[in-house]
Amino acid sequence: VKKADAKLKSPDIYYPRWMYGLWKVTSTAKTVEAPLGEELFGRAGLAAAQKEIGIPLVYQARFRKASDGRIIADRPFNVDSISRAAMGDSAVLECYEEEGDANKLKMTLTPQGAGGRV
């Protein structure tokens, strides 16, 4: 993955206070597109993603207080939760902020644990 050239105007996205805490989320893909081409996405990956259209994915999302008291997404928790819901609990070995920076997320996946879904 290559870092984008765009500069962020804010280091984070801020949410209303009522978002603070743990949420049960259900999301459903309505379409899957490969704007940079099927080859980059991977034919098998694209076909697998298209089979999941319309199937609800249930996971947890957490929002926490930043050091200044504003509410932000707990990115490592949320990415870990979505990944486990999509690929299975055993697919995720670790997920954390590198150098304490929410914009530097490190994740290690294991294809064996995903049952072929990685």
Side-chain angles (χ1 to χ4, degrees):
V1 177
K2 184 178 177 185
K3 184 178 178 181
D5 293 331
K7 300 275 184 193
L8 297 175
K9 291 184 179 182
S10 173
D12 221 319
I13 297 171
Y14 302 103
Y15 296 87
R17 292 199 176 280
W18 59 263
M19 294 279 302
Y20 179 78
L22 188 63
W23 293 79
K24 179 181 177 184
V25 179
T26 303
S27 62
T28 306
K30 300 293 183 191
T31 186
V32 175
E33 299 176 8
L36 297 177
E38 193 174 290
E39 294 77 28
L40 185 62
F41 196 105
R43 285 190 173 94
L46 182 58
Q50 288 171 331
K51 287 179 184 175
E52 294 180 7
I53 292 173
I55 299 171
L57 184 67
V58 180
Y59 55 94
Q60 292 184 317
R62 187 166 62 195
F63 296 84
R64 62 180 178 85
K65 289 183 182 177
S67 58
D68 63 4
R70 292 191 280 184
I71 306 303
I72 59 172
D74 185 337
R75 290 183 192 162
F77 179 90
N78 295 345
V79 169
D80 183 278
S81 181
I82 292 167
S83 299
R84 288 178 190 279
M87 296 182 286
D89 277 336
S90 300
V92 180
L93 292 180
E94 62 183 351
C95 184
Y96 61 91
E97 290 177 3
E98 214 171 15
E99 302 168 13
D101 183 347
N103 293 313
K104 293 181 180 179
L105 193 64
K106 181 160 185 171
M107 181 174 217
T108 305
L109 301 173
T110 175
Q112 297 89 343
R117 292 176 291 202
V118 172

